[in-house]
Amino acid sequence: MKKKLSLKWKIGLYLAGFAGLLVVLLFVFQIVLLEPMYEQYKIKAVQSSGDEIAAALDTEALEETIMRNSMQNDMCITVTYSNTETTMRNQQCTAFANMTTLEKTTLIGYAAVSKNKTYTSVSESNLFENLNQNDDSFRRVIYTRIAEGDEGTAVIMIYSGISPINAATSTLKMQLLYISGIILLAVVLLTVMINRSFAKPLAMINEAAKQLPSGQYDVSPKTNRYKEAEELNQTLKTAASDIKKADKAKRDLIANVSHDLRTPLTMISGYGEMMRDLPGEKTDENIQVIIDESRRLTAIVNDLLDLSKLQENRIVLNQEVFDLTGMIETEIRKYDVYHYQDGFDIEVNLAEEALVNADRKRMEQVFNNFIINAINYSGNSRRIIINEKVNNGIVRTEIQDFGEGIAKDKIGDIWDRYYKVDKEHVRVTQGSGIGLSIVKEILDLHHAKYGVVSEEGKGSTFWFEMPVEKKI
Ligand code: ADP
């Protein structure tokens, strides 16, 4: 796999890129483009002043317009009427006074032949040397416009020096150097800060996650700096506690399965040895014990295999439409023996007929599991009620006992594989200890609703609901 940059370096790189862009932009606009942009601005200012003055020709506002424009934009302006030879200009300006007549005539000539009778020249000053005797690199704009007024042709000339910006540029260059330094420092500081607030919590959560496989489930990195890290941390904590639970369930499963397998195995080998060593013990009753215990073993192993198949989705339901009431009636007869042998009182209130589309064998399994549990956990009451009712197209079956009940905090766990509230309960009948997990898988496969209502000391009611099929 290509080696990926860590978040810290990525953030640093992005910030450095952004800072670099900023410095380049500053350099381009403040240094490279400063002069041409300033020059363009000056030319525009001169041209718009020219337009304004041309519009003010023949009006009383002409003088005021000349004065205002020259002051505002630091320009020399002259307006000369060729008929009357009168010239208007701002007095402080000496630029035009230094120009020879030939130079002026040349400019006017250019203007006269140009399209808008306007000529704008931008130059260093070698064309008109006497204008720039003091400073060779002095650039300036001279605008010449020939306009027709009521009093004859007027020549508007505007002169504007483009102040040398070399000095400004070198100041800006210095500043840019400082700014680059400050930005670099800011990038480093920001990277460190962002790393502390964003990348570090992630690294800590990652470290904690790495500890999970080694059985360190108590993860609590201090990462509450921002919402996403806090959420990720929470997710990790939930995952850790789930893994811890699953790990415990796995260990419980092994312990419980071994325990439940050992009991019948001990009985089988104990009875076998007894029959071998003591001649009078080879009785039918003892052989029956061995057969019963072998059956119990088979039941446990079958249940385990069944559950694992169900959980891996390897079971395909064999669905058919059948009468649930009829099925319950048949199944319940198996438990008559508990009435006669152990004094159980099983009350049955069934609906007339309730056709359901389900796997018959699997539904028998569900019902028998509920009944066996009710018998196992009914305590001294030995009373069980089975209710089946159809309401609004739904058949609800309830199996109620009046035994020990289930504590509120345990009720959510009883459907888990091999969960036992009380590990030492006395079994009246056989149970593999994973009955409810199998029930849950089967009912889930049928998309049936199910649940339990229970109160400690008063008993439990297990229920499931299925849609009733219409008779064809
Ligand atoms: P088990 O073979 O232990 O009965 P189950 O999966 O059938 O296994 O049941 C899981 C646990 O749920 C039981 O160990 C018991 O603690 C609880 N439980 C199930 N049914 C009842 C009930 N009718 N009354 C009280 N507790 C029950």
PDB file of all heavy atoms in Angstrom, residues 436-472:
ATOM      1  N   LEU A 436     -34.002 -19.453  23.761  1.00  0.00           N
ATOM      2  CA  LEU A 436     -34.538 -18.149  23.347  1.00  0.00           C
ATOM      3  C   LEU A 436     -33.748 -17.550  22.183  1.00  0.00           C
ATOM      4  O   LEU A 436     -34.313 -16.822  21.371  1.00  0.00           O
ATOM      5  CB  LEU A 436     -34.580 -17.175  24.527  1.00  0.00           C
ATOM      6  CG  LEU A 436     -35.689 -17.448  25.554  1.00  0.00           C
ATOM      7  CD1 LEU A 436     -35.732 -16.352  26.609  1.00  0.00           C
ATOM      8  CD2 LEU A 436     -37.058 -17.569  24.887  1.00  0.00           C
ATOM      9  N   SER A 437     -32.444 -17.867  22.094  1.00  0.00           N
ATOM     10  CA  SER A 437     -31.674 -17.347  20.945  1.00  0.00           C
ATOM     11  C   SER A 437     -32.192 -17.978  19.665  1.00  0.00           C
ATOM     12  O   SER A 437     -32.291 -17.316  18.632  1.00  0.00           O
ATOM     13  CB  SER A 437     -30.195 -17.647  21.056  1.00  0.00           C
ATOM     14  OG  SER A 437     -29.809 -17.827  22.356  1.00  0.00           O
ATOM     15  N   ILE A 438     -32.540 -19.274  19.735  1.00  0.00           N
ATOM     16  CA  ILE A 438     -33.082 -19.947  18.548  1.00  0.00           C
ATOM     17  C   ILE A 438     -34.447 -19.346  18.202  1.00  0.00           C
ATOM     18  O   ILE A 438     -34.729 -19.014  17.050  1.00  0.00           O
ATOM     19  CB  ILE A 438     -33.181 -21.476  18.787  1.00  0.00           C
ATOM     20  CG1 ILE A 438     -31.768 -22.058  18.922  1.00  0.00           C
ATOM     21  CG2 ILE A 438     -33.937 -22.156  17.661  1.00  0.00           C
ATOM     22  CD1 ILE A 438     -31.724 -23.536  19.213  1.00  0.00           C
ATOM     23  N   VAL A 439     -35.285 -19.148  19.239  1.00  0.00           N
ATOM     24  CA  VAL A 439     -36.617 -18.553  19.047  1.00  0.00           C
ATOM     25  C   VAL A 439     -36.491 -17.197  18.351  1.00  0.00           C
ATOM     26  O   VAL A 439     -37.208 -16.894  17.398  1.00  0.00           O
ATOM     27  CB  VAL A 439     -37.328 -18.404  20.418  1.00  0.00           C
ATOM     28  CG1 VAL A 439     -38.509 -17.467  20.324  1.00  0.00           C
ATOM     29  CG2 VAL A 439     -37.767 -19.764  20.927  1.00  0.00           C
ATOM     30  N   LYS A 440     -35.556 -16.399  18.846  1.00  0.00           N
ATOM     31  CA  LYS A 440     -35.346 -15.051  18.304  1.00  0.00           C
ATOM     32  C   LYS A 440     -34.993 -15.130  16.816  1.00  0.00           C
ATOM     33  O   LYS A 440     -35.577 -14.424  15.999  1.00  0.00           O
ATOM     34  CB  LYS A 440     -34.200 -14.383  19.074  1.00  0.00           C
ATOM     35  CG  LYS A 440     -33.754 -13.053  18.553  1.00  0.00           C
ATOM     36  CD  LYS A 440     -32.576 -12.607  19.409  1.00  0.00           C
ATOM     37  CE  LYS A 440     -32.015 -11.264  19.099  1.00  0.00           C
ATOM     38  NZ  LYS A 440     -31.720 -10.920  17.780  1.00  0.00           N
ATOM     39  N   GLU A 441     -34.043 -16.026  16.481  1.00  0.00           N
ATOM     40  CA  GLU A 441     -33.615 -16.137  15.079  1.00  0.00           C
ATOM     41  C   GLU A 441     -34.785 -16.555  14.191  1.00  0.00           C
ATOM     42  O   GLU A 441     -34.978 -16.014  13.114  1.00  0.00           O
ATOM     43  CB  GLU A 441     -32.475 -17.170  14.936  1.00  0.00           C
ATOM     44  CG  GLU A 441     -31.181 -16.799  15.630  1.00  0.00           C
ATOM     45  CD  GLU A 441     -30.479 -15.604  15.001  1.00  0.00           C
ATOM     46  OE1 GLU A 441     -30.674 -15.353  13.805  1.00  0.00           O
ATOM     47  OE2 GLU A 441     -29.741 -14.916  15.737  1.00  0.00           O
ATOM     48  N   ILE A 442     -35.564 -17.538  14.677  1.00  0.00           N
ATOM     49  CA  ILE A 442     -36.689 -18.042  13.864  1.00  0.00           C
ATOM     50  C   ILE A 442     -37.726 -16.943  13.661  1.00  0.00           C
ATOM     51  O   ILE A 442     -38.183 -16.692  12.543  1.00  0.00           O
ATOM     52  CB  ILE A 442     -37.348 -19.288  14.533  1.00  0.00           C
ATOM     53  CG1 ILE A 442     -36.351 -20.449  14.563  1.00  0.00           C
ATOM     54  CG2 ILE A 442     -38.622 -19.689  13.803  1.00  0.00           C
ATOM     55  CD1 ILE A 442     -36.829 -21.666  15.330  1.00  0.00           C
ATOM     56  N   LEU A 443     -38.108 -16.248  14.762  1.00  0.00           N
ATOM     57  CA  LEU A 443     -39.133 -15.207  14.638  1.00  0.00           C
ATOM     58  C   LEU A 443     -38.630 -14.036  13.778  1.00  0.00           C
ATOM     59  O   LEU A 443     -39.386 -13.457  13.008  1.00  0.00           O
ATOM     60  CB  LEU A 443     -39.584 -14.730  16.020  1.00  0.00           C
ATOM     61  CG  LEU A 443     -40.401 -15.769  16.792  1.00  0.00           C
ATOM     62  CD1 LEU A 443     -40.725 -15.283  18.194  1.00  0.00           C
ATOM     63  CD2 LEU A 443     -41.697 -16.129  16.063  1.00  0.00           C
ATOM     64  N   ASP A 444     -37.348 -13.736  13.895  1.00  0.00           N
ATOM     65  CA  ASP A 444     -36.773 -12.681  13.038  1.00  0.00           C
ATOM     66  C   ASP A 444     -36.867 -13.080  11.568  1.00  0.00           C
ATOM     67  O   ASP A 444     -37.209 -12.270  10.718  1.00  0.00           O
ATOM     68  CB  ASP A 444     -35.303 -12.419  13.402  1.00  0.00           C
ATOM     69  CG  ASP A 444     -35.170 -11.526  14.629  1.00  0.00           C
ATOM     70  OD1 ASP A 444     -36.176 -10.866  14.975  1.00  0.00           O
ATOM     71  OD2 ASP A 444     -34.073 -11.488  15.235  1.00  0.00           O
ATOM     72  N   LEU A 445     -36.548 -14.353  11.296  1.00  0.00           N
ATOM     73  CA  LEU A 445     -36.623 -14.844   9.907  1.00  0.00           C
ATOM     74  C   LEU A 445     -38.041 -14.704   9.349  1.00  0.00           C
ATOM     75  O   LEU A 445     -38.226 -14.453   8.173  1.00  0.00           O
ATOM     76  CB  LEU A 445     -36.208 -16.313   9.848  1.00  0.00           C
ATOM     77  CG  LEU A 445     -34.751 -16.629   9.558  1.00  0.00           C
ATOM     78  CD1 LEU A 445     -34.551 -18.144   9.557  1.00  0.00           C
ATOM     79  CD2 LEU A 445     -34.318 -16.076   8.212  1.00  0.00           C
ATOM     80  N   HIS A 446     -39.031 -14.873  10.233  1.00  0.00           N
ATOM     81  CA  HIS A 446     -40.449 -14.757   9.819  1.00  0.00           C
ATOM     82  C   HIS A 446     -40.940 -13.308   9.833  1.00  0.00           C
ATOM     83  O   HIS A 446     -42.090 -13.061   9.546  1.00  0.00           O
ATOM     84  CB  HIS A 446     -41.347 -15.574  10.763  1.00  0.00           C
ATOM     85  CG  HIS A 446     -41.340 -17.033  10.468  1.00  0.00           C
ATOM     86  ND1 HIS A 446     -40.439 -17.904  11.048  1.00  0.00           N
ATOM     87  CD2 HIS A 446     -42.096 -17.799   9.639  1.00  0.00           C
ATOM     88  CE1 HIS A 446     -40.678 -19.128  10.615  1.00  0.00           C
ATOM     89  NE2 HIS A 446     -41.677 -19.091   9.741  1.00  0.00           N
ATOM     90  N   HIS A 447     -40.076 -12.391  10.225  1.00  0.00           N
ATOM     91  CA  HIS A 447     -40.445 -10.975  10.407  1.00  0.00           C
ATOM     92  C   HIS A 447     -41.611 -10.827  11.382  1.00  0.00           C
ATOM     93  O   HIS A 447     -42.474  -9.963  11.216  1.00  0.00           O
ATOM     94  CB  HIS A 447     -40.800 -10.293   9.074  1.00  0.00           C
ATOM     95  CG  HIS A 447     -39.732 -10.456   8.051  1.00  0.00           C
ATOM     96  ND1 HIS A 447     -38.510  -9.858   8.173  1.00  0.00           N
ATOM     97  CD2 HIS A 447     -39.692 -11.183   6.899  1.00  0.00           C
ATOM     98  CE1 HIS A 447     -37.750 -10.206   7.143  1.00  0.00           C
ATOM     99  NE2 HIS A 447     -38.446 -11.014   6.360  1.00  0.00           N
ATOM    100  N   ALA A 448     -41.644 -11.699  12.366  1.00  0.00           N
ATOM    101  CA  ALA A 448     -42.732 -11.651  13.344  1.00  0.00           C
ATOM    102  C   ALA A 448     -42.348 -10.717  14.495  1.00  0.00           C
ATOM    103  O   ALA A 448     -41.166 -10.490  14.747  1.00  0.00           O
ATOM    104  CB  ALA A 448     -42.977 -13.051  13.879  1.00  0.00           C
ATOM    105  N   LYS A 449     -43.383 -10.172  15.153  1.00  0.00           N
ATOM    106  CA  LYS A 449     -43.107  -9.370  16.349  1.00  0.00           C
ATOM    107  C   LYS A 449     -43.130 -10.310  17.547  1.00  0.00           C
ATOM    108  O   LYS A 449     -43.923 -11.277  17.564  1.00  0.00           O
ATOM    109  CB  LYS A 449     -44.211  -8.316  16.522  1.00  0.00           C
ATOM    110  CG  LYS A 449     -44.046  -7.136  15.597  1.00  0.00           C
ATOM    111  CD  LYS A 449     -45.039  -6.074  16.019  1.00  0.00           C
ATOM    112  CE  LYS A 449     -44.959  -4.885  15.100  1.00  0.00           C
ATOM    113  NZ  LYS A 449     -46.130  -4.028  15.255  1.00  0.00           N
ATOM    114  N   TYR A 450     -42.326 -10.029  18.548  1.00  0.00           N
ATOM    115  CA  TYR A 450     -42.314 -10.874  19.737  1.00  0.00           C
ATOM    116  C   TYR A 450     -41.759 -10.095  20.914  1.00  0.00           C
ATOM    117  O   TYR A 450     -41.157  -9.029  20.727  1.00  0.00           O
ATOM    118  CB  TYR A 450     -41.474 -12.141  19.501  1.00  0.00           C
ATOM    119  CG  TYR A 450     -40.048 -11.852  19.090  1.00  0.00           C
ATOM    120  CD1 TYR A 450     -39.033 -11.739  20.045  1.00  0.00           C
ATOM    121  CD2 TYR A 450     -39.704 -11.660  17.761  1.00  0.00           C
ATOM    122  CE1 TYR A 450     -37.717 -11.462  19.662  1.00  0.00           C
ATOM    123  CE2 TYR A 450     -38.409 -11.374  17.376  1.00  0.00           C
ATOM    124  CZ  TYR A 450     -37.416 -11.272  18.328  1.00  0.00           C
ATOM    125  OH  TYR A 450     -36.133 -10.990  17.959  1.00  0.00           O
ATOM    126  N   GLY A 451     -41.956 -10.644  22.105  1.00  0.00           N
ATOM    127  CA  GLY A 451     -41.432  -9.939  23.277  1.00  0.00           C
ATOM    128  C   GLY A 451     -41.817 -10.644  24.562  1.00  0.00           C
ATOM    129  O   GLY A 451     -42.361 -11.759  24.549  1.00  0.00           O
ATOM    130  N   VAL A 452     -41.514  -9.972  25.664  1.00  0.00           N
ATOM    131  CA  VAL A 452     -41.841 -10.548  26.966  1.00  0.00           C
ATOM    132  C   VAL A 452     -42.226  -9.424  27.930  1.00  0.00           C
ATOM    133  O   VAL A 452     -41.652  -8.340  27.878  1.00  0.00           O
ATOM    134  CB  VAL A 452     -40.648 -11.375  27.527  1.00  0.00           C
ATOM    135  CG1 VAL A 452     -39.377 -10.569  27.629  1.00  0.00           C
ATOM    136  CG2 VAL A 452     -40.977 -11.959  28.900  1.00  0.00           C
ATOM    137  N   VAL A 453     -43.249  -9.714  28.729  1.00  0.00           N
ATOM    138  CA  VAL A 453     -43.616  -8.790  29.801  1.00  0.00           C
ATOM    139  C   VAL A 453     -43.389  -9.593  31.076  1.00  0.00           C
ATOM    140  O   VAL A 453     -43.892 -10.713  31.190  1.00  0.00           O
ATOM    141  CB  VAL A 453     -45.108  -8.394  29.704  1.00  0.00           C
ATOM    142  CG1 VAL A 453     -45.473  -7.372  30.757  1.00  0.00           C
ATOM    143  CG2 VAL A 453     -45.427  -7.882  28.312  1.00  0.00           C
ATOM    144  N   SER A 454     -42.607  -9.044  32.000  1.00  0.00           N
ATOM    145  CA  SER A 454     -42.275  -9.858  33.162  1.00  0.00           C
ATOM    146  C   SER A 454     -42.125  -8.990  34.405  1.00  0.00           C
ATOM    147  O   SER A 454     -41.707  -7.836  34.320  1.00  0.00           O
ATOM    148  CB  SER A 454     -40.976 -10.624  32.899  1.00  0.00           C
ATOM    149  OG  SER A 454     -40.723 -11.486  33.974  1.00  0.00           O
ATOM    150  N   GLU A 455     -42.502  -9.554  35.534  1.00  0.00           N
ATOM    151  CA  GLU A 455     -42.298  -8.848  36.796  1.00  0.00           C
ATOM    152  C   GLU A 455     -41.677  -9.841  37.767  1.00  0.00           C
ATOM    153  O   GLU A 455     -42.188 -10.975  37.909  1.00  0.00           O
ATOM    154  CB  GLU A 455     -43.639  -8.331  37.319  1.00  0.00           C
ATOM    155  CG  GLU A 455     -43.452  -7.163  38.260  1.00  0.00           C
ATOM    156  CD  GLU A 455     -44.795  -6.640  38.741  1.00  0.00           C
ATOM    157  OE1 GLU A 455     -45.748  -6.633  37.942  1.00  0.00           O
ATOM    158  OE2 GLU A 455     -44.896  -6.285  39.905  1.00  0.00           O
ATOM    159  N   GLU A 456     -40.623  -9.408  38.410  1.00  0.00           N
ATOM    160  CA  GLU A 456     -39.917 -10.336  39.301  1.00  0.00           C
ATOM    161  C   GLU A 456     -40.841 -10.818  40.422  1.00  0.00           C
ATOM    162  O   GLU A 456     -41.535 -10.011  41.047  1.00  0.00           O
ATOM    163  CB  GLU A 456     -38.699  -9.642  39.897  1.00  0.00           C
ATOM    164  CG  GLU A 456     -37.423 -10.398  39.593  1.00  0.00           C
ATOM    165  CD  GLU A 456     -36.209  -9.715  40.159  1.00  0.00           C
ATOM    166  OE1 GLU A 456     -36.197  -8.479  40.245  1.00  0.00           O
ATOM    167  OE2 GLU A 456     -35.289 -10.441  40.520  1.00  0.00           O
ATOM    168  N   GLY A 457     -40.863 -12.119  40.633  1.00  0.00           N
ATOM    169  CA  GLY A 457     -41.689 -12.689  41.700  1.00  0.00           C
ATOM    170  C   GLY A 457     -43.129 -12.946  41.278  1.00  0.00           C
ATOM    171  O   GLY A 457     -43.875 -13.645  41.960  1.00  0.00           O
ATOM    172  N   LYS A 458     -43.544 -12.335  40.129  1.00  0.00           N
ATOM    173  CA  LYS A 458     -44.956 -12.497  39.728  1.00  0.00           C
ATOM    174  C   LYS A 458     -45.119 -13.351  38.478  1.00  0.00           C
ATOM    175  O   LYS A 458     -46.196 -13.871  38.211  1.00  0.00           O
ATOM    176  CB  LYS A 458     -45.587 -11.127  39.469  1.00  0.00           C
ATOM    177  CG  LYS A 458     -45.716 -10.301  40.728  1.00  0.00           C
ATOM    178  CD  LYS A 458     -46.890  -9.375  40.646  1.00  0.00           C
ATOM    179  CE  LYS A 458     -47.161  -8.781  42.019  1.00  0.00           C
ATOM    180  NZ  LYS A 458     -47.830  -7.506  41.930  1.00  0.00           N
ATOM    181  N   GLY A 459     -44.076 -13.448  37.682  1.00  0.00           N
ATOM    182  CA  GLY A 459     -44.177 -14.285  36.486  1.00  0.00           C
ATOM    183  C   GLY A 459     -43.916 -13.536  35.200  1.00  0.00           C
ATOM    184  O   GLY A 459     -43.687 -12.328  35.198  1.00  0.00           O
ATOM    185  N   SER A 460     -43.942 -14.286  34.094  1.00  0.00           N
ATOM    186  CA  SER A 460     -43.616 -13.699  32.800  1.00  0.00           C
ATOM    187  C   SER A 460     -44.649 -14.094  31.757  1.00  0.00           C
ATOM    188  O   SER A 460     -45.250 -15.170  31.848  1.00  0.00           O
ATOM    189  CB  SER A 460     -42.264 -14.205  32.299  1.00  0.00           C
ATOM    190  OG  SER A 460     -41.348 -14.307  33.354  1.00  0.00           O
ATOM    191  N   THR A 461     -44.838 -13.210  30.761  1.00  0.00           N
ATOM    192  CA  THR A 461     -45.681 -13.549  29.626  1.00  0.00           C
ATOM    193  C   THR A 461     -44.859 -13.355  28.361  1.00  0.00           C
ATOM    194  O   THR A 461     -44.484 -12.235  28.026  1.00  0.00           O
ATOM    195  CB  THR A 461     -46.930 -12.640  29.573  1.00  0.00           C
ATOM    196  OG1 THR A 461     -47.595 -12.717  30.821  1.00  0.00           O
ATOM    197  CG2 THR A 461     -47.859 -13.047  28.446  1.00  0.00           C
ATOM    198  N   PHE A 462     -44.540 -14.440  27.692  1.00  0.00           N
ATOM    199  CA  PHE A 462     -43.838 -14.363  26.406  1.00  0.00           C
ATOM    200  C   PHE A 462     -44.905 -14.337  25.315  1.00  0.00           C
ATOM    201  O   PHE A 462     -45.907 -15.041  25.415  1.00  0.00           O
ATOM    202  CB  PHE A 462     -42.915 -15.567  26.221  1.00  0.00           C
ATOM    203  CG  PHE A 462     -41.629 -15.440  27.002  1.00  0.00           C
ATOM    204  CD1 PHE A 462     -41.587 -15.759  28.356  1.00  0.00           C
ATOM    205  CD2 PHE A 462     -40.474 -14.987  26.387  1.00  0.00           C
ATOM    206  CE1 PHE A 462     -40.413 -15.633  29.084  1.00  0.00           C
ATOM    207  CE2 PHE A 462     -39.283 -14.856  27.113  1.00  0.00           C
ATOM    208  CZ  PHE A 462     -39.257 -15.171  28.461  1.00  0.00           C
ATOM    209  N   TRP A 463     -44.709 -13.508  24.272  1.00  0.00           N
ATOM    210  CA  TRP A 463     -45.722 -13.416  23.209  1.00  0.00           C
ATOM    211  C   TRP A 463     -45.083 -13.297  21.834  1.00  0.00           C
ATOM    212  O   TRP A 463     -43.931 -12.886  21.722  1.00  0.00           O
ATOM    213  CB  TRP A 463     -46.663 -12.233  23.442  1.00  0.00           C
ATOM    214  CG  TRP A 463     -45.956 -10.901  23.481  1.00  0.00           C
ATOM    215  CD1 TRP A 463     -45.451 -10.296  24.566  1.00  0.00           C
ATOM    216  CD2 TRP A 463     -45.660 -10.048  22.370  1.00  0.00           C
ATOM    217  NE1 TRP A 463     -44.854  -9.112  24.232  1.00  0.00           N
ATOM    218  CE2 TRP A 463     -44.978  -8.934  22.876  1.00  0.00           C
ATOM    219  CE3 TRP A 463     -45.903 -10.103  20.992  1.00  0.00           C
ATOM    220  CZ2 TRP A 463     -44.528  -7.901  22.061  1.00  0.00           C
ATOM    221  CZ3 TRP A 463     -45.462  -9.070  20.184  1.00  0.00           C
ATOM    222  CH2 TRP A 463     -44.780  -7.978  20.721  1.00  0.00           C
ATOM    223  N   PHE A 464     -45.845 -13.684  20.816  1.00  0.00           N
ATOM    224  CA  PHE A 464     -45.414 -13.412  19.438  1.00  0.00           C
ATOM    225  C   PHE A 464     -46.648 -13.162  18.571  1.00  0.00           C
ATOM    226  O   PHE A 464     -47.741 -13.652  18.872  1.00  0.00           O
ATOM    227  CB  PHE A 464     -44.524 -14.537  18.870  1.00  0.00           C
ATOM    228  CG  PHE A 464     -45.188 -15.878  18.764  1.00  0.00           C
ATOM    229  CD1 PHE A 464     -45.813 -16.267  17.582  1.00  0.00           C
ATOM    230  CD2 PHE A 464     -45.196 -16.762  19.836  1.00  0.00           C
ATOM    231  CE1 PHE A 464     -46.425 -17.508  17.467  1.00  0.00           C
ATOM    232  CE2 PHE A 464     -45.801 -18.003  19.729  1.00  0.00           C
ATOM    233  CZ  PHE A 464     -46.417 -18.381  18.556  1.00  0.00           C
ATOM    234  N   GLU A 465     -46.465 -12.365  17.531  1.00  0.00           N
ATOM    235  CA  GLU A 465     -47.595 -11.984  16.675  1.00  0.00           C
ATOM    236  C   GLU A 465     -47.266 -12.263  15.216  1.00  0.00           C
ATOM    237  O   GLU A 465     -46.138 -12.031  14.774  1.00  0.00           O
ATOM    238  CB  GLU A 465     -47.886 -10.482  16.818  1.00  0.00           C
ATOM    239  CG  GLU A 465     -48.516 -10.119  18.133  1.00  0.00           C
ATOM    240  CD  GLU A 465     -48.782  -8.612  18.265  1.00  0.00           C
ATOM    241  OE1 GLU A 465     -48.293  -7.840  17.427  1.00  0.00           O
ATOM    242  OE2 GLU A 465     -49.466  -8.246  19.218  1.00  0.00           O
ATOM    243  N   MET A 466     -48.305 -12.742  14.477  1.00  0.00           N
ATOM    244  CA  MET A 466     -48.097 -12.997  13.035  1.00  0.00           C
ATOM    245  C   MET A 466     -49.346 -12.565  12.275  1.00  0.00           C
ATOM    246  O   MET A 466     -50.452 -12.630  12.819  1.00  0.00           O
ATOM    247  CB  MET A 466     -47.868 -14.488  12.789  1.00  0.00           C
ATOM    248  CG  MET A 466     -46.698 -15.019  13.555  1.00  0.00           C
ATOM    249  SD  MET A 466     -46.327 -16.671  13.067  1.00  0.00           S
ATOM    250  CE  MET A 466     -44.938 -16.382  12.039  1.00  0.00           C
ATOM    251  N   PRO A 467     -49.196 -12.166  11.023  1.00  0.00           N
ATOM    252  CA  PRO A 467     -50.382 -11.788  10.248  1.00  0.00           C
ATOM    253  C   PRO A 467     -51.202 -13.037   9.885  1.00  0.00           C
ATOM    254  O   PRO A 467     -50.634 -14.090   9.598  1.00  0.00           O
ATOM    255  CB  PRO A 467     -49.811 -11.127   8.991  1.00  0.00           C
ATOM    256  CG  PRO A 467     -48.381 -11.496   8.943  1.00  0.00           C
ATOM    257  CD  PRO A 467     -47.946 -11.910  10.303  1.00  0.00           C
ATOM    258  N   VAL A 468     -52.523 -12.876   9.925  1.00  0.00           N
ATOM    259  CA  VAL A 468     -53.393 -14.011   9.593  1.00  0.00           C
ATOM    260  C   VAL A 468     -53.614 -14.025   8.084  1.00  0.00           C
ATOM    261  O   VAL A 468     -53.889 -12.996   7.475  1.00  0.00           O
ATOM    262  CB  VAL A 468     -54.751 -13.868  10.329  1.00  0.00           C
ATOM    263  CG1 VAL A 468     -55.708 -14.982   9.931  1.00  0.00           C
ATOM    264  CG2 VAL A 468     -54.525 -13.872  11.828  1.00  0.00           C
ATOM    265  N   GLU A 469     -53.465 -15.211   7.499  1.00  0.00           N
ATOM    266  CA  GLU A 469     -53.678 -15.357   6.043  1.00  0.00           C
ATOM    267  C   GLU A 469     -55.169 -15.525   5.759  1.00  0.00           C
ATOM    268  O   GLU A 469     -55.900 -16.109   6.571  1.00  0.00           O
ATOM    269  CB  GLU A 469     -52.932 -16.601   5.534  1.00  0.00           C
ATOM    270  CG  GLU A 469     -51.427 -16.497   5.622  1.00  0.00           C
ATOM    271  CD  GLU A 469     -50.857 -15.456   4.677  1.00  0.00           C
ATOM    272  OE1 GLU A 469     -51.252 -15.428   3.503  1.00  0.00           O
ATOM    273  OE2 GLU A 469     -50.004 -14.663   5.136  1.00  0.00           O
ATOM    274  N   LYS A 470     -55.603 -15.037   4.598  1.00  0.00           N
ATOM    275  CA  LYS A 470     -57.024 -15.193   4.235  1.00  0.00           C
ATOM    276  C   LYS A 470     -57.255 -16.612   3.704  1.00  0.00           C
ATOM    277  O   LYS A 470     -56.366 -17.195   3.073  1.00  0.00           O
ATOM    278  CB  LYS A 470     -57.403 -14.171   3.162  1.00  0.00           C
ATOM    279  CG  LYS A 470     -57.458 -12.784   3.714  1.00  0.00           C
ATOM    280  CD  LYS A 470     -58.362 -11.908   2.873  1.00  0.00           C
ATOM    281  CE  LYS A 470     -58.570 -10.579   3.530  1.00  0.00           C
ATOM    282  NZ  LYS A 470     -57.320  -9.802   3.584  1.00  0.00           N
ATOM    283  N   LYS A 471     -58.465 -17.132   3.966  1.00  0.00           N
ATOM    284  CA  LYS A 471     -58.798 -18.464   3.458  1.00  0.00           C
ATOM    285  C   LYS A 471     -59.014 -18.378   1.961  1.00  0.00           C
ATOM    286  O   LYS A 471     -59.598 -17.423   1.472  1.00  0.00           O
ATOM    287  CB  LYS A 471     -60.115 -18.920   4.122  1.00  0.00           C
ATOM    288  CG  LYS A 471     -59.914 -20.084   5.020  1.00  0.00           C
ATOM    289  CD  LYS A 471     -61.240 -20.661   5.357  1.00  0.00           C
ATOM    290  CE  LYS A 471     -61.274 -20.948   6.839  1.00  0.00           C
ATOM    291  NZ  LYS A 471     -62.588 -21.186   7.315  1.00  0.00           N
ATOM    292  N   ILE A 472     -58.514 -19.377   1.238  1.00  0.00           N
ATOM    293  CA  ILE A 472     -58.728 -19.321  -0.233  1.00  0.00           C
ATOM    294  C   ILE A 472     -60.005 -20.069  -0.585  1.00  0.00           C
ATOM    295  O   ILE A 472     -60.299 -21.120  -0.041  1.00  0.00           O
ATOM    296  CB  ILE A 472     -57.534 -19.943  -1.003  1.00  0.00           C
ATOM    297  CG1 ILE A 472     -56.223 -19.481  -0.342  1.00  0.00           C
ATOM    298  CG2 ILE A 472     -57.568 -19.567  -2.459  1.00  0.00           C
ATOM    299  CD1 ILE A 472     -55.030 -20.323  -0.655  1.00  0.00           C
TER     300      ILE A 472
END
